[in-house]
Amino acid sequence: MSALFGNYGKRRSQIVKGQGTIVEDSTGKQYLDFTSGIAVVSLGHAHPAIVQALQDQSEKLWHISNLFGIPGQEKVAQKLIDNTHFAHAFFCNSGAEANEAAIKLARKHTGKNHIITFEKSFHGRTFGAMSATGQGKVHNGFGPLVEKFTILPFNDVAALEAVIDDSVAAIMLEMIQGEGGVNSVSAEFAAAIAKACDDKGILLIVDEVQTGIGRTGTRYAFEQTVLKPHIMTLAKGLGGGFPVGAMLGTAELHATFSPGTHGTTFGGNPLAMSVAEAVLSHVFEPSFLQQIQGVSAYFVAQLKEQLPSSYSIQGQGLLLGVGCGETEVASYIVAAEESGLLLVGAGPNVIRLLPPLTVTKEEIDEAVAILKTILH
């Protein structure tokens, strides 16, 4: 019997090595990794700049705690907020932690407890983040959730307008529901959210844990909409594989998180900051973001051309989904792995495509060819 708890449904393959988009298992078999560790390995496996940054910092200082100033935090925070309406950053270790911080900040700043979230959303597995998540399978078996979350249908303007009142502290949503089916916020819904926040003084929390750091072809996915969040959460691609999360906020929120209100032992440690700085130095380059947009357009075109029209193609940038109607995709994902392509689902009926942001057109061609043989 394993010494581990059984809370993960493990794949058959045991990945032991990776370079770029290619990974290798313990038997020596190679795969195209179109999971990126679930949108994490933004610059591919073992990117030289990340490896060097981590090695250099590891020889200086690993941990000192937030009792002391950590220069790397200031550098990374500045890169994250440059040319945005945000003013401040808080660093933690994961997306769930970033969302917990966002929920706490919104409630403390407004003095209100009511937060609106949406069906099929995913915000994490800690109690606050889990309570914000609009999926029953995440809630089941854990007893009473944190109170005052209203979960509404996604992209339903009428449902939103029906519950907006002076009791609402915040609206919290993903620009694209990665776990929930690769569902994008509609322009109409974004406009309705923006209006509700303006009319009632409601804070907007945008969870960009999966969509942020270039994944959709811009620094942040909200930049492609009318929305201007007061709070944004990040993780996954920010560390390129190293655990790090962040919460950004506007200037008006600064005084709410005064000393002692929130904290983390490991958050923003020198190792994490050195890696995050290296990632951002690459991903936030305008030419790199343009490259992502070009590769995404090619990927979408190839999927539409090569796959039967019964499959829908959804998402943005390099967060794409292949909708399979009512068909469950679990068997497709197994078949792809056997053929040398690693994939992950987005709900029961959508295949999620999350290659590294450095993926090449040749690698996309290989992946689409495998998908074509599976989805016939």
Side-chain angles (χ1 to χ4, degrees):
M1 177 179 284
S2 172
L4 301 172
F5 276 109
N7 54 307
Y8 297 112
K10 300 280 189 180
R11 303 277 184 97
R12 294 179 182 178
S13 306
Q14 186 178 61
I15 306 302
V16 297
K17 186 166 61 173
Q19 185 71 51
T21 310
I22 308 299
V23 295
E24 186 176 303
D25 71 14
S26 55
T27 71
K29 181 178 178 178
Q30 292 190 334
Y31 306 82
L32 282 167
D33 182 10
F34 272 49
T35 73
S36 296
I38 315 183
V40 168
V41 189
S42 45
L43 293 178
H45 295 274
H47 190 282
I50 296 179
V51 171
Q52 191 64 54
L54 188 59
Q55 181 175 324
D56 289 348
Q57 185 60 49
S58 72
E59 295 171 353
K60 299 174 185 175
L61 182 68
W62 287 35
H63 179 77
I64 191 65
S65 91
N66 285 292
L67 292 173
F68 301 90
I70 298 173
Q73 290 187 11
E74 291 287 352
K75 293 178 182 177
V76 176
Q78 195 61 53
K79 284 181 179 290
L80 291 172
I81 67 172
D82 270 349
N83 302 309
T84 74
H85 64 287
F86 295 112
H88 306 288
F90 163 80
F91 292 106
C92 50
N93 306 289
S94 69
E97 286 186 34
N99 284 330
E100 288 285 342
I103 291 165
K104 288 178 68 173
L105 180 60
R107 288 174 67 158
K108 191 171 194 302
H109 184 77
T110 62
K112 302 174 184 178
N113 303 326
H114 186 192
I115 296 176
I116 293 171
T117 65
F118 300 97
E119 293 174 0
K120 297 186 178 179
S121 61
F122 183 83
H123 298 294
R125 296 183 184 273
T126 51
F127 255 94
M130 179 173 70
S131 301
T133 293
Q135 298 190 52
K137 67 180 183 180
V138 176
H139 304 158
N140 294 339
F142 294 105
L145 301 176
V146 176
E147 295 181 348
K148 299 295 184 179
F149 285 95
T150 296
I151 299 173
L152 302 178
F154 190 59
N155 279 334
D156 188 328
V157 173
L160 176 69
E161 291 176 346
V163 300
I164 292 296
D165 59 27
D166 292 331
S167 74
V168 178
I171 297 171
M172 182 176 189
L173 80 160
E174 301 154 278
M175 294 291 92
I176 302 174
Q177 293 182 325
E179 299 289 333
V182 193
N183 309 309
S184 298
V185 173
S186 70
E188 180 187 18
F189 197 53
I193 289 171
K195 185 177 186 302
C197 290
D198 288 344
D199 289 350
K200 294 291 185 180
I202 295 168
L203 295 181
L204 176 60
I205 304 170
V206 169
D207 176 342
E208 294 232 26
V209 168
Q210 190 158 160
T211 57
I213 317 300
R215 177 56 59 179
T216 66
T218 52
R219 294 173 303 172
Y220 311 117
F222 83 82
E223 294 174 316
Q224 300 175 45
T225 74
V226 300
L227 296 173
K228 288 188 70 174
H230 303 87
I231 301 170
M232 180 173 66
T233 56
L234 302 164
K236 290 189 180 286
L238 176 58
F242 197 94
V244 58
M247 178 191 70
L248 307 187
T250 55
E252 68 192 284
L253 303 173
H254 181 267
T256 302
F257 260 14
S258 55
T261 53
H262 191 60
T264 163
T265 297
F266 296 105
N269 68 68
L271 291 174
M273 293 298 95
S274 66
V275 173
E277 185 179 2
V279 169
L280 295 176
S281 294
H282 281 72
V283 175
F284 280 8
E285 279 294 315
S287 60
F288 188 83
L289 293 170
Q290 289 171 4
Q291 177 183 313
I292 295 169
Q293 293 167 21
V295 170
S296 171
Y298 179 81
F299 199 178
V300 170
Q302 291 302 110
L303 289 168
K304 289 182 175 178
E305 180 182 320
Q306 300 293 330
L307 300 185
S309 59
S310 56
Y311 297 98
S312 63
I313 309 303
Q314 51 216 58
Q316 291 171 280
L318 292 175
L319 170 48
L320 299 175
V322 178
C324 299
E326 298 300 314
T327 303
E328 295 198 356
V329 301
S331 62
Y332 295 149
I333 290 171
V334 171
E337 185 170 322
E338 291 172 350
S339 299
L341 175 63
L342 300 183
L343 301 171
V344 66
N349 311 117
V350 177
I351 297 170
R352 202 172 359 162
L353 302 169
L354 295 165
L357 304 182
T358 52
V359 67
T360 66
K361 290 182 178 179
E362 292 75 20
E363 290 166 338
I364 286 171
D365 288 342
E366 290 181 49
V368 171
I370 293 171
L371 283 169
K372 186 177 179 180
T373 64
I374 295 165
L375 303 174
H376 44 70

